[in-house]
Structure formats: C-alpha cells, structure tokens
C-alpha cells in the first residue's frame, strides 16, 4: 500500500454536512424542477378552486351618532339632552345586531318576499312561513357586521352578499332603518308625553273648577263676602262688655246681667266662627292657587312639546353611503394566487428539504468517508457525455480515443496511488454492493490506464456470472479453472482492442467456484497470488457484487487491497455500509471507495462539493 493510501486510511472522516453554509440555495438548485412543478400545481389547483367558488360582494356604510341624545324626562315631562356614554353606544350597537332590528330591516327591504334572497317554499302554511322568516333573518344577520374603532362615534356597517346591488342595499337599508326608527321612537315618546299632558290639563282644569265653586259656596255660606261683619261683631262685643261692667257697678239686676252675658257669648262665638271661616278660606285659596299654578304649568309644557315635536332631531346620520362594488371581495383572486404561490413555494421547499434529508444515496466524497470510514480513491466522470463516444463502444475504446478527456484524467489520478509502491506486485480487487454500479467498467479503466502509463497489468475477470470485464476487453474465452491457472495450463492472454495489441495489459477469466473445497481453493489462490506478484506490477480483479453472491468473500484472500465502487446518485448509504461491514467481518482488506458515473456538471451545479467539481476545468478542451 502506498504512503498516500496509508495516509487516507489514517484520516478520520469529518462530519457530513450536505447543506453547508449556503444550504438553502443548494437545496433550491437540487430540486428546482420539482419545486417549480409543486408551485405551479398549487397555483393551478387554487385557480381551479377559485373558478368554482361563489363570488361575494362587500359594501360599507357609516353612521355617526350625535353627541347629545334628546329624550323626554319622565319626572317633569320635558325634553332633555344627555351626553352619549360608552355604555349607550355599545347598547346601540347591540340593537343593530339584534334579531328584532334585523326583522325591521328585512321588512323594510322586502326580503321576506324576495325569492332570490331565500327561496320561498311551495307550501304556504303558517309553520312554513314562520320557518321561512327565520331563515331570512338568519341569513340577514350573517350578511352584515357592525363595529367601531376605539372611542369613535362612527359605526361602520359591512354588508356581504352574492350580489353587488344587494350588498349595497342591505348596508344602506340598515342605516336608513336605524335612523328612521330612532326618529320614530323619539316622536312616539314625545307624542305619548303630549297625550299625557293633554289628559293632565283636562283633569287639572276640572279639579280647578270644582275648587273654585267650592270656595264660592264656602264664602257665600259663611258670609265671607261681607267685609264689615267682623268689625261690627267686635264693636258689639266691646259694647256688651262695657254694659256688663257698668251694670255690675250700679247693681244691675241679675236677669238683665244674665241676658247680656248670653248675648256677649253669642257675639264672641260668631266672631270666632268668622275667624275660623277666614282661615279656612285662606287655605282653600292657597289650594286653589296651587291648582291654578299646576294647571298653568301643564298648559305651558303641553304648548312646548306640541311645538318641539316637529323639531326632534335624528339620533344618528349617515355619513357614508354604500355603493354597489365593482368587483367581488371574495374570493380575492389576486391575493389568493399570491398566497398560493407563497404557500406553494414554502411547501415545495419543505418537500425538497424532506427529500434531501431522506435521500440516503451517495453524492460526494464526504458521505462515502462518513459511512464507510475509509478514504475515497477518486471520482470517475460520466464519460459517455462525449460526442465522440457512441453507446455501442466500450470504455476501452473511449480511453484509447480520448486520452486527455476528463474521464481519462480521473482514472489516471486514481491509478497514481500505485506508482510509488515498492512491492513486486499489487493485487487490487474491484467490487460493489449491488449490480449495475460500474465495477467492471472501473476495473477495465484502471487496468488500461495503468498499462498505458507503463505498468505491466493483468486484469482478472472473476465475475463468471456476467464476464463483463472480458467482454469490455473484447475477449470471448470462457472462464478457466483456478488449478489450470496455477499449474500454468492456462496463461493470461494479451489484450487486443480493434486489432491492436495493448502493450503491458493481459487478461484472464477465472471461475471463482471452480473448486468445491473452500480450503483447497484458498491454497490455490495464495499460490496464484505469489505467482502473479512475480510477473505483474498490478493485478486488477473484477468480482461479483458482495451483497448478491459470496464469490468475493471466497476469493478475497487473493487481494492485497479491495476497492468498492459506488455509483454516484444511485448507490445508497445502506448498501455501502452493509458491503463494508460484510467484507470487514470476513477479514478482507477493504481499503477505499471509488465513486463512479459522476455527472460533473450536475455535481457542480447542485453543490455536492468535493474535488469532482474541478473536473469541469478544461472540459471543452479534453475531448
């Protein structure tokens, strides 16, 4: 083994990082076509769905509540103004959302009889009519929303319908019904107050008349209209008192004194009755004055309300009139397509990322080193991209015809590992995990390149199941037995390509199962190895896939070194790992991998890294 090869064996593989620093861009480049198809598909599905969705139109109207609310005070029956509070405004918004208000709007807009709004049933029974009305109200309530911003007095009404004119009709109808219902409610309240005041005035007038008549009767009955009577009674009391005092001094008879005393008592009683009557008259006059005042106040308030009923203001005004929208608000096709494009791009990237993470195929040297724990001997480009190469030609023809091609340079770079070796000969076994990974092509290419560079090379085709290496070197001889090769009965044949002898390159096909006894076969292989070491600088052996048949394990003793071929983008990490583990488990000298069939343009474009991308240097020159 060369010093460079030993150095590769001792190198610890670094952690694999497929994405790298510019991982997103790399993933985009790797899966660009797939991502474009996903984005186009998502946009297409979205466009198809949009064509099947029913259009919805949205119209907006705006109400502004007045800052002061005029109401009739129930305590003194007069118009008063109250400042709107947050609670009042929220209450008004709840009114706008209420089912009773929706019924008013539906009735105003004749929606109950509109079959285009809600289809009317064929059976006009009372139950069906009631059910139809409920459906109309359900649809109407779901067709509009009311809201306001912050502490604003403006209330926005957003109506949505499947018809542009209907949306505007609903938005404006709600505003109109609210304004008119507010005015009607205030006028109704004022009218009720007027009716109450009229009744009150009539009642107070009757009461006032009765009180006046009662007072007149009382005055007449108690002679309160005689203003001189109290003075006469007081004069009479004074006169009788004087007589009684004089009669007492003169010794007036008892009978006359008694008469005068009774007369004095009678006059004093009359005076007292007159005083009480006057007091009662004053009380009745005060009551009469109060009733007159109440009557006059009621008349004044009635006159005021009758005058102001025509001046009742609107509780709100419509500052924005809804108009039929020119385009549908739902679905918003432009926004939907933009969102679908963004969503499709995100989905595509996620799918690409998942595919990238789930892709366990081998794409670069870092992967093979990480999985196998061994160095990689090189990258072999996909040589059939050359115009000069035709599919019916072999790898040998291509190498001989294009000695300066990328493929030839890569093969020569891999064979350079053996030139510094000081041993008599070196036996390298080329194998793979599964068929169709290019091991026979690699075997022939390595052997031919080494021979062209001056080594004496023997290619041994021990894949007796296919004999691809012999076919690629244009040999038709059947596989020989190991015993015949050891005894010298069968000798390697010179390789002749298109009638020309390839100097330094021989070929022999051997049957790996020619000996039934495994112990005897190992002895034959050891003997053959020593013999070939003396005759050749390099022996390259093509063997069957390790995971398919066990021939490689049986003949592994023949090799000084085993290389496993990994097909770029086709061989999986599992195949590489299982192959290496199986060879190591049997103690075979697996030492390196070699990556075959590398699409250098795609390798570089998709950012898989490694020195394979540098094979593009001079690509146009090496033809």
């Amino acid at each position: 083994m060369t010093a460079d090869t030993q150095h590769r064996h001792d190198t610890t593989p670094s952690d694999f990082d497929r994405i790298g620093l510019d991982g997103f861009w790399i993933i985009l480049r790797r899966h660009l076509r797939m991502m474009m198809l996903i984005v186009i598909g998502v946009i297409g599905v979205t466009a198809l769905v949009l064509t099947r969705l029913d259009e919805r139109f949205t119209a907006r109207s705006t109400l502004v509540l007045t800052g002061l609310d005029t109401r009739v005070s129930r305590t003194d029956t007069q118009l008063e103004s109250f400042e709107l509070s947050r609670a009042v405004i929220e209450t008004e918004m709840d009114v706008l959302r209420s089912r009773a208000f929706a019924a008013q709007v539906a009735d105003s807009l004749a929606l109950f009889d509109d079959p285009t709004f809600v289809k009317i049933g064929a059976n006009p029974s009372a139950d069906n009519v009631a059910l139809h009305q409920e459906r109309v109200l359900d649809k109407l309530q779901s067709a509009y929303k009311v809201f306001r911003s912050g502490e604003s007095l403006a209330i926005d009404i957003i109506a949505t319908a499947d018809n542009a004119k209907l949306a505007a009709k609903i938005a404006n109808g709600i505003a109109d019904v609210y304004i008119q219902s507010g005015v009607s409610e205030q006028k109704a309240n004022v009218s009720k107050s007027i009716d109450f005041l009229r009744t009150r005035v009539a009642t107070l007038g009757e009461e006032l008349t009765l009180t006046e008549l009662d007072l007149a009767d009382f005055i007449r009955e108690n002679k309160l209209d005689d203003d001189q009577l109290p003075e006469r009674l007081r004069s009479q009391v004074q006169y009788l008192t004087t007589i009684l005092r004089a009669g007492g001094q003169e010794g007036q008879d008892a009978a006359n004194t008694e008469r005068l005393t009774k007369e004095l008592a009678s006059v004093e009683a009359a005076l007292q009755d007159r005083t009480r009557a006057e007091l009662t008259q004053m009380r009745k006059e005060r009551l009469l004055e109060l009733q007159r005042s109440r009557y006059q106040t009621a008349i004044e308030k009635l006159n005021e309300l009758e005058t102001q009923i025509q001046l009742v203001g609107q509780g709100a005004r419509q500052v924005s009139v809804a108009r039929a929208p020119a385009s549908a608000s739902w679905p918003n096709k432009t926004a939907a397509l933009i969102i679908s494009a963004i969503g499709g791009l995100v989905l595509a990237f996620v799918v690409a990322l998942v595919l990238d993470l789930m892709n366990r195929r081998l794409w670069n040297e870092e992967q093979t080193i990480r999985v196998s724990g061994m160095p990689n001997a090189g990258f072999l480009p996909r040589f059939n991209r050359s115009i000069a190469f035709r599919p019916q030609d072999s790898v040998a023809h291509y190498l001989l015809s294009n000695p300066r091609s990328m493929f030839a340079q890569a093969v020569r770079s891999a064979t350079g590992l053996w030139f510094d070796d000081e041993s008599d000969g070196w036996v390298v076994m080329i194998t793979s995990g599964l068929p169709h990974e290019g091991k026979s092509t690699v075997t022939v290419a390595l052997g031919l390149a080494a021979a062209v560079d001056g080594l004496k090379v023997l290619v041994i085709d021990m894949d007796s199941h296919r004999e691809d290496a012999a076919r690629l070197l244009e040999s038709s001889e059947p596989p020989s037995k190991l015993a015949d090769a050891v005894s010298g009965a069968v000798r390697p044949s010179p390789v002749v390509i298109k009638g020309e002898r390839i100097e330094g390159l021989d070929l022999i096909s051997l049957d790996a199962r020619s000996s039934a006894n495994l112990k005897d076969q190992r002895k034959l292989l050891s003997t053959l190895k020593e013999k070939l070491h003396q005759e050749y600088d390099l022996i390259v052996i093509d063997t069957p896939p390790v995971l398919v048949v066990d021939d490689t394990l049986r003949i592994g003793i023949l090799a000084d070194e085993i290389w496993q071929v990994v097909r770029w983008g086709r061989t999986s990490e599992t195949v590489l790992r299982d192959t290496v583990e199986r060879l190591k488990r049997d103690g075979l000298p697996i030492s390196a991998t070699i990556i075959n069939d590398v699409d250098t343009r795609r390798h570089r474009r998709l950012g898989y890294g490694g020195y394979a991308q540098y094979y593009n240097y001079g690509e146009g020159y090496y033809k």
Side-chain angles (χ1 to χ4, degrees), residues 193-213:
S193 298
I194 290 175
D195 293 340
F196 168 75
L197 285 174
R198 285 173 179 171
T199 303
R200 183 63 174 166
V201 166
T203 303
L204 290 175
E206 292 178 0
E207 292 178 354
L208 180 61
T209 300
L210 293 175
T211 302
E212 287 177 343
L213 291 175

Side-chain angles (χ1 to χ4, degrees), residues 347-511:
L347 176 62
F349 186 80
V350 171
V351 172
L353 181 61
V354 171
L355 291 177
D356 205 70
L357 294 176
M358 293 178 62
N359 184 0
R360 309 319 296 171
R361 295 179 181 181
L362 297 167
W363 298 95
N364 58 29
E365 187 175 58
E366 292 182 357
Q367 277 183 280
T368 60
I369 293 175
R370 177 179 59 85
V371 175
S372 66
M374 299 179 301
N376 182 61
F379 289 85
L380 300 186
R382 184 176 296 172
F383 59 86
N384 58 0
R385 284 185 174 273
S386 173
I387 299 177
F389 177 73
R390 298 190 305 273
Q392 64 268 26
D393 291 334
S394 70
V395 62
H397 295 168
Y398 181 80
L399 279 174
L400 294 174
S401 302
N402 301 274
R404 302 180 67 181
S405 64
M406 289 189 299
F407 180 76
Q409 297 297 324
V411 173
R412 190 172 293 109
S413 175
T415 59
L417 298 174
W418 300 312
F419 280 91
D420 294 334
D421 192 80
E422 298 178 358
S423 62
D424 295 334
W426 197 254
V427 181
V428 179
M429 186 176 290
I430 307 299
T431 189
S432 64
L434 296 175
H436 308 296
E437 293 184 338
K439 60 177 183 54
S440 300
T441 299
V442 173
T443 300
V444 171
L446 292 175
L448 183 60
V452 171
D453 284 340
L455 294 181
K456 189 175 183 181
V457 181
L458 173 64
V459 175
I460 304 178
D461 188 347
M462 299 193 76
D463 186 359
S464 55
H465 302 277
R466 293 182 177 271
E467 303 180 36
D468 285 341
R471 179 179 55 81
L472 292 173
L473 291 176
E474 301 183 357
S475 174
S476 58
E477 295 183 3
S480 304
K481 296 182 179 180
L482 286 175
D484 294 339
V486 172
S487 64
V490 177
R491 295 286 301 169
S493 303
V495 174
V496 178
I497 303 296
K498 289 186 176 182
E500 295 185 6
R501 168 77 166 87
I502 305 301
E503 294 295 333
L505 181 62
D506 293 339
L507 169 69
I508 186 172
S509 297
L510 297 177
D511 186 359

Side-chain angles (χ1 to χ4, degrees), residues 26-94:
I26 292 175
I27 291 176
L28 178 63
R29 289 191 298 172
R30 291 177 186 173
H31 304 282
L32 182 59
R33 292 182 181 178
M34 181 271 296
M35 294 176 68
M36 290 179 63
L37 290 176
I38 291 178
V39 173
I40 293 173
V42 171
I43 294 176
V45 171
T46 303
L48 180 62
V49 172
L50 289 175
T51 59
R52 297 177 178 271
L53 290 177
D54 295 332
E55 291 185 335
R56 305 288 291 174
F57 296 85
T58 299
R60 177 195 295 263
S61 65
T62 304
L63 289 173
V64 175
L65 302 178
T66 57
L68 297 176
D69 186 17
T70 303
R71 311 175 193 171
V72 179
S73 173
R74 296 186 179 181
T75 57
D76 52 9
T77 319
Q78 66 179 7
L79 293 175
E80 294 183 354
S81 295
F82 300 87
E83 186 175 353
L84 292 179
S85 63
R86 179 182 180 86
V88 172
I89 298 174
E90 293 294 335
T91 302
E92 294 303 311
M93 294 181 65
D94 290 337

Side-chain angles (χ1 to χ4, degrees), residues 133 143 205 277 505 536 597:
Q133 291 179 348
L505 181 62
Y536 294 96
D597 196 34

